[in-house]
Amino acid sequence: MRIDETLREEGPTFSFEFFPPKTAQGEENLYAALADLRSLEPAFVSVTYGAGGSTRSKTIEIVKRIKEEWGLEAMAHFTCVGATVPELRSTLDEMRDAGIENVLALRGDPPAGETEWTKTDGGLEYSRELVELIDGDYPALAIGAACFPETHIHATSAEDDLEHLAGKVGAGVDFLITQLFFDNAFYFDFVERARRVGINVPIVPGIMPITNIEQLERFIRLCGATVPMRLVLQLERYRDDPDAVVQLGVAHATVQCMELLARGVPGIHFYTLNKSPATRLIVSALRGRGAAPASGPPR
Ligand SMILES: Cc1cc2nc3c(=O)[nH]c(=O)nc-3n(C[C@H](O)[C@H](O)[C@H](O)COP(=O)(O)OP(=O)(O)OC[C@H]3O[C@@H](n4cnc5c(N)ncnc54)[C@H](O)[C@@H]3O)c2cc1C
């Protein structure tokens, strides 16, 4: 099932993101989280593509397994990192042969320790080129792409970033998923600016429940998202109380999701980090309040 169709026909959707684990224990944790979250009937799940393209076959293997053995729609993330165009094509062939119908087309980040992005010789510079490649030669694939309510961390300006995003969407993107954010004002403002420049595809907000302060600090260093001062102060109070941090993180994300749904988002994509409890609590609370379907028009 193509995710763009699901978003159009069934929204608002819930979806869950996982990453390919590196160890046997990690793999066990992933499938345990999946087993727990499956009962929440997500519209789809997605599996990331490791930094440096390091999880190429693992990503495809997990997506295929989730589709075939778990009966869930699953999307593969895919980046331009470390691959020539023929290599990118060969991975796309593999995805098509594995029955994958949805791909999140990304540029990827510079390798660990580097801040400057340099394209691989014979590879692609921007995700837009990957979108063009998929749209031209793999028309059966639904194409998702990333967007950044607080602007991409290495963009030259918010205006430039939005202009590049509009070009990328025009090249064949069917839906967008946002980088995580902790203040909904960024999302609403971004959607408004995006609509003004003619970006009309669904923009699904990405939500990460905070469960660990050190991990949160690492993420925001990497992606540049900001945490509202009120929340920072509350988190500081609980720095030595991990359970209280989880409770606060779940409460904050639940309130965020309630407002997003009330204002008609097409769905919510949860960054689960391969753990189920926080996401389960939030989705259960939202379902308990009859959070779907939304009343407003899809954004
Ligand atoms: C939902 C989501 C999922 C993700 N999943 C993964 C994953 O699985 N694996 C992974 O490695 N990373 C992942 N990322 C991170 C992503 O790869 C990085 O954020 C990366 O730095 C940007 O990717 P992009 O596809 O947005 O790049 P692009 O769209 O290529 O943009 C990158 C930068 O280039 C600029 N730009 C674009 N076009 C032009 C142009 N023509 N001229 C000049 N500048 C331009 C943009 O403004 C931006 O600053 C994910 C991010 C999100 C939001």
Side-chain angles (χ1 to χ4, degrees):
M1 182 77 183
R2 289 174 59 106
I3 290 171
D4 52 340
E5 288 170 10
T6 307
L7 290 169
R8 252 197 321 272
E9 291 158 20
E10 293 173 25
T13 59
F14 292 128
S15 53
F16 305 139
E17 180 172 309
F18 299 96
F19 63 85
K22 292 200 178 86
T23 62
Q25 180 60 54
E27 191 133 340
E28 234 173 78
N29 296 345
L30 162 68
Y31 286 108
L34 197 58
D36 191 32
L37 292 175
R38 179 166 67 164
S39 59
L40 296 172
E41 299 179 344
F44 66 94
V45 303
S46 79
V47 181
T48 64
Y49 201 73
S54 54
T55 64
R56 195 182 68 90
S57 49
K58 202 78 190 154
T59 298
I60 298 178
E61 177 196 311
I62 295 171
V63 168
K64 190 166 184 266
R65 188 164 166 199
I66 294 174
K67 278 172 75 72
E68 288 175 359
E69 294 177 26
W70 296 70
L72 290 172
E73 187 48 61
M75 169 168 72
H77 295 211
F78 186 36
T79 75
C80 307
V81 177
T84 62
V85 171
E87 286 164 345
L88 293 169
R89 277 186 199 283
S90 133
T91 305
L92 286 163
D93 290 344
E94 231 180 284
M95 288 186 191
R96 186 190 48 207
D97 297 345
I100 293 172
E101 291 168 274
N102 298 282
V103 65
L104 193 71
L106 303 147
R107 185 195 70 178
D109 277 322
E114 290 176 31
T115 50
E116 288 285 309
W117 161 259
T118 22
K119 82 166 202 180
T120 302
D121 274 349
L124 302 177
E125 176 92 48
Y126 297 113
S127 63
R128 175 191 175 142
E129 297 159 66
L130 185 59
V131 170
E132 284 166 350
L133 172 67
I134 301 171
D135 188 60
D137 294 353
Y138 301 84
L141 281 174
I143 307 174
C147 64
F148 300 83
E150 295 184 68
T151 302
H152 183 252
I153 190 163
H154 295 130
T156 37
S157 70
E159 292 73 27
D160 290 352
D161 202 31
L162 197 61
E163 192 184 315
H164 298 140
L165 180 67
K168 171 162 85 175
V169 171
V173 169
D174 298 303
F175 60 96
L176 292 165
I177 300 183
T178 77
Q179 182 58 280
L180 55 87
F181 57 89
F182 300 99
D183 181 345
N184 289 349
F186 287 116
Y187 172 84
F188 294 125
D189 173 65
F190 172 74
V191 172
E192 208 173 299
R193 288 187 293 119
R195 300 303 183 225
R196 246 187 269 137
V197 299
I199 297 172
N200 288 317
V201 296
I203 302 177
V204 179
I207 295 293
M208 188 192 77
I210 297 169
T211 54
N212 176 302
I213 296 183
E214 287 74 29
Q215 189 180 52
L216 169 70
E217 289 168 341
R218 229 177 17 255
F219 284 145
I220 59 182
R221 257 198 314 276
L222 282 175
C223 75
T226 55
V227 183
M229 187 47 74
R230 218 176 40 249
L231 183 56
V232 171
L233 294 175
Q234 282 177 300
L235 286 167
E236 275 306 329
R237 275 180 52 198
Y238 300 131
R239 193 170 268 279
D240 300 321
D241 185 345
D243 290 342
V245 169
V246 173
Q247 285 167 17
L248 180 56
V250 166
H252 182 79
T254 306
V255 172
Q256 267 194 288
C257 292
M258 281 168 57
E259 188 191 19
L260 289 165
L261 289 164
R263 290 184 58 178
V265 293
I268 297 181
H269 188 67
F270 289 93
Y271 295 103
T272 72
L273 307 175
N274 292 6
K275 296 197 173 80
S276 60
T279 303
R280 164 171 280 289
L281 283 168
I282 297 163
V283 174
S284 303
L286 296 170
R287 287 253 163 86
R289 286 182 56 91
S295 47
R299 295 186 72 107

